[in-house]
Amino acid sequence: MDIRDFFAQSAGRWFSQRTSHHLAFKQTESGKSQLTIELLSVDDPAVIALCQQYDMDPAWAVCGARVSWDGTMEWDSEKHEGSTVLVPIMDQGSRMEGKLLREMGYAEKAPVAGRFSMGSDGALTLITEYETMYSEERLWFASPNLRLRTSILKRFGGFSMASFCSEIRLGVTQPAHS
């Protein structure tokens, strides 16, 4: 599986359930959200604009996706909603590693480019270094309609949060018949 396959398999609507461990406070919390992942063509205006924002040639884009979320966490009554565009750019000479351009980061609400690598097991690892923190996520498919995700967030030189998410596709996809 390459990054294009991973994005294609991720397209759709998902129910996400998260458990987060805030290590500094020795507290655990849970949250739920609806995710929508829409594939974008490499010539989509949002993909082209994001590439240009990072001074990247849009011809280097492998694919694109718009990810939208709407959820809640148990520790607050706020709605956590938003969206971002993602564009992977392969490293020269590599089929499994590159940059991941983001319109908006997850840990900090600002544009950010991270690194991605696809493992031989089909898992996607994302590493993003923000100004004040470091994020590492690993995503993989347990089945076509069940995606799993782990993440760690380091702030000021130490671990501050670890999370586990299970994401279930809403509306089961059926294999194509030949």
Side-chain angles (χ1 to χ4, degrees):
M1 178 179 296
D2 65 16
I3 190 73
R4 185 178 293 123
D5 297 332
F6 194 92
F7 272 48
Q9 190 168 343
S10 296
R13 291 185 23 197
W14 299 82
F15 169 75
S16 179
Q17 188 163 336
R18 171 190 300 258
T19 301
S20 298
H21 302 276
H22 297 273
L23 303 173
F25 303 113
K26 298 180 182 164
Q27 292 182 335
T28 301
E29 68 173 332
S30 62
K32 298 175 183 175
S33 60
Q34 301 281 331
L35 302 174
T36 302
I37 302 172
E38 172 193 357
L39 287 180
L40 302 175
S41 65
V42 293
D43 60 355
D44 186 285
V47 171
I48 292 168
L50 189 58
C51 289
Q52 290 172 341
Q53 179 180 341
Y54 285 94
D55 295 322
M56 297 278 183
D57 184 341
W60 298 342
V62 176
C63 58
R66 177 173 284 109
V67 180
S68 303
W69 59 92
D70 182 4
T72 57
M73 296 298 289
E74 72 179 354
W75 53 271
D76 66 16
S77 57
E78 284 183 45
K79 288 287 262 179
H80 296 269
E81 58 188 355
S83 69
T84 192
V85 173
L86 306 173
V87 176
I89 306 285
M90 300 303 288
D91 285 348
Q92 188 174 2
S94 175
R95 292 190 58 239
M96 304 304 268
E97 295 182 8
K99 287 185 180 177
L100 183 67
L101 310 181
R102 294 186 198 198
E103 187 179 44
M104 180 192 315
Y106 172 72
E108 291 183 4
K109 304 301 181 206
V112 65
R115 300 278 313 153
F116 76 85
S117 65
M118 292 297 307
S120 59
D121 60 355
L124 171 63
T125 299
L126 303 173
I127 295 174
T128 308
E129 294 188 46
Y130 299 90
E131 197 169 305
T132 61
M133 61 186 86
Y134 167 93
S135 170
E136 186 170 327
E137 294 179 274
R138 186 172 191 271
L139 300 92
W140 69 99
F141 289 91
S143 71
N145 297 305
L146 175 60
R147 194 170 83 160
L148 304 172
R149 179 170 26 143
T150 60
S151 63
I152 59 167
L153 193 60
K154 293 181 187 180
R155 189 183 302 241
F156 308 120
F159 289 103
S160 62
M161 188 173 76
S163 298
F164 174 78
C165 296
S166 60
E167 298 170 344
I168 300 166
R169 188 184 309 272
L170 299 172
V172 176
T173 60
Q174 298 297 320
H177 296 290
S178 308

